[in-house]
Amino acid sequence: MLRIFNSHSGVLETFAPLDPPKLGIYVCGITVYDRCHLGHARSFVAFDAIVRYLRFSGYQVNYVRNITDIDDKMIAAALQNTEPVAELAQRMIDLMDRDLHRLGLAAPDAEPRATGHIAQMIDMIERLIAAAHAYPSGGDVYFSVRSDPEYGSLSRRGLDAMQPEDPDTERRKRDPLDFALWKAEKPGEPAWDSPWGRGRPGWHIECSAMSEHHLGESFDIHGGGVDLKFPHHENEIAQSRCGSPGEFARIWMHTGPLQASDGEKMSKSLGNQTVLSDVLDAHPAEAVYLFLLGAHYRSPMEYSDALIAEAARGLRRLYGALRAAPPGGSVIDSEVERFRTVMDDDFNTAEARSVLFDLARQINRESGGAARRAADLAATLRHLGGVFGLLQADPEDFLRRSGSGSGSGARESLNEADIEALIAERTGARSEGDFARADAIRDQLAAQGVVLLDSAEGTRWERS
RNA sequence: GGCUGAGUGGCAGAGUGGUUAUGCAGCGGAUUGCAAAUCCGUUUAUGCCGGUUCGAUUCCGACCUCAGCCUCCA
């Protein structure tokens, strides 16, 4: 029985999809005016793990993640780069696709772009105006916050606590709390025809319109980072509640913030974001994913390069166990049950991860002993790692890959043939009792990032 | 100031009203020609003060501290 914390109701709820086994989930993606940072990865990895687990649990998931390709930031960035907004968007989308693919994320079933859904947004705005929840004003259209008695229910905030200051639009609003659904065209900015003249959509309306278009008026889960809870999600709810008859998203899930280990949130405004592609250059993608799985998705999480390097060492441990186990084997149901029990408890990936490590220890304990048991455990470990897209590489290949460990960088100075030749030479020296020579060779290899592992069956090697 | 969440061992980070999270690091032992890997063991861990309870890290209250949000943010 899957239970999910609904951040709208504030409690754990037993999950029951609208139309099982189908399941619709909408996640707020990024505004494509810059490269992805690690904070995006945190949220996206969380939802990747969640979607993968839901599929593993038998649901037919329709995973929609939007792309915001028109807003103030887009326009400002395009202006600064002196490139058209659409070109900037496509450039950043290509980079995002590359980064997220490298990270090993499953592609969403749909990635709707705001600029591709202008008609749907205009349609919803017209409905809101007809229902007297919105009004045109000087080429803009505003949502009337006080027309929605439930406004503030998501962020648990009273209207009195909101003190917006926006001198630009203040005069055109009837109430300072109102927010823009449509913004009148300004010179040099992208604009579309609308019943209110040329202009462009406000930020929040795109998610209301696109989620309805792709998932319907009512759907199962809406997710995003906590920093979107207010105002973005609050406004989305207001728009959809007032503009559509459906109940909109039934469960809201918010991922916690990622903070640099110096204590500050990684934030675009603070300029301390860590670019995802840089992280992926320094560490194996699986290590980054495994690291991000280490904390519950709702908890704030600290990040540093050293912590990811730690996760990489943990990943080597998992692959080391897989390598040690005999092939074959069948998945052990009781271990899968353990895994499911913790994942069913609001997707506790931290506990799920500890199941993986526990399996690794069991494998290592059995190795050399009960081969059948070790094979079964390894099959289980690979099966459960696979739920997250992890541990699917050949262990030997993974461990021999440069930089799979500490992330200390690309050290490819020796090819495999060189390494094998030196190992053969060392084996000869050892058999003759020339340990000084043997150790010299080992030190030489170590200096180039190659670690030797002697055993009764011979000498293995891997890169550190 | 308001709202939300959090304070766990050297670091990161889960769970739990009484019993091992897990990972990384350290230390000791086993193993090894020596290592590495691995296994076993190990280091006064639950912010502070009260309360409820046979018993609280876990529940309740106050306090302190921190983080996020309060119309740029995953």
Side-chain angles (χ1 to χ4, degrees), chain A residues 46-345:
Chain A
F47 285 110
D48 186 71
I50 286 165
V51 166
R52 286 173 183 271
Y53 180 69
L54 289 169
R55 290 188 172 129
F56 178 73
S57 300
Y59 292 109
Q60 292 168 16
V61 181
N62 188 191
Y63 176 27
V64 179
R65 189 180 64 211
N66 75 293
I67 293 172
T68 300
D69 57 356
I70 178 66
D71 84 328
D72 294 350
K73 291 277 190 186
M74 293 293 306
I75 291 167
L79 195 65
Q80 190 169 1
N81 300 348
T82 62
E83 74 180 316
V85 170
E87 261 178 42
L88 169 69
Q90 193 54 54
R91 201 159 55 81
M92 289 305 155
I93 287 168
D94 290 343
L95 289 174
M96 174 184 79
D97 286 347
R98 198 198 58 184
D99 289 347
L100 298 185
H101 183 259
R102 275 178 83 188
L103 228 200
L105 301 193
D109 299 292
E111 281 191 280
R113 303 184 190 184
T115 56
H117 296 73
I118 301 291
Q120 287 87 349
M121 292 188 233
I122 288 174
D123 178 64
M124 182 169 260
I125 294 170
E126 287 189 303
R127 278 184 273 155
L128 286 166
I129 293 173
H133 284 294
Y135 55 92
S137 175
D140 297 342
V141 180
Y142 292 97
F143 182 89
S144 174
V145 166
R146 290 186 195 275
S147 76
D148 175 14
E150 292 180 59
Y151 189 85
S153 65
L154 178 69
S155 53
R156 292 184 187 74
R157 227 172 277 235
L159 297 183
D160 298 340
M162 302 177 192
Q163 307 259 317
E165 285 179 34
D166 185 2
D168 265 9
T169 57
E170 214 61 27
R171 282 164 296 140
R172 294 197 287 277
K173 292 182 185 178
R174 290 180 188 165
D175 187 301
L177 296 177
D178 294 348
F179 59 88
L181 298 171
W182 189 262
K183 299 182 176 187
E185 177 178 25
K186 289 180 189 164
E189 295 185 355
W192 290 261
D193 289 324
S194 84
W196 318 284
R198 287 179 63 77
R200 60 186 173 89
W203 174 32
H204 316 296
I205 193 67
E206 65 175 68
C207 287
S208 288
M210 293 194 293
S211 63
E212 181 177 303
H213 183 69
H214 288 273
L215 296 172
E217 291 167 349
S218 304
F219 57 94
D220 297 298
I221 298 172
H222 189 126
V226 266
D227 45 357
L228 295 178
K229 200 171 181 182
F230 188 89
H232 186 236
H233 291 334
E234 193 72 73
N235 291 351
E236 254 189 86
I237 289 176
Q239 292 161 345
S240 293
R241 179 166 49 212
C242 296
S244 290
E247 61 176 319
F248 196 41
R250 307 178 80 212
I251 291 184
W252 284 82
M253 297 181 69
H254 288 103
T255 55
L258 187 72
Q259 294 156 209
S261 56
D262 60 13
E264 273 197 326
K265 185 188 89 153
M266 188 179 315
S267 159
K268 290 183 182 178
S269 58
L270 294 173
N272 62 350
Q273 54 200 305
T274 300
V275 175
L276 177 57
S277 59
D278 290 348
V279 176
L280 291 170
D281 286 343
H283 304 279
E286 282 190 61
V288 179
Y289 197 112
L290 189 69
F291 166 72
L292 293 171
L293 247 30
H296 185 91
Y297 74 86
R298 281 190 281 125
S299 302
M301 184 177 197
E302 288 202 17
Y303 151 75
S304 72
D305 202 61
L307 287 169
I308 294 187
E310 264 185 41
R313 287 191 283 276
L315 181 64
R316 293 177 69 78
R317 178 175 166 75
L318 297 178
Y319 269 115
L322 288 177
R323 180 176 61 181
S330 47
V331 172
I332 301 166
D333 289 341
S334 61
E335 298 290 347
V336 175
E337 264 323 295
R338 264 176 85 198
F339 180 88
R340 296 180 65 99
T341 298
V342 297
M343 283 298 286
D344 276 347
D345 182 16

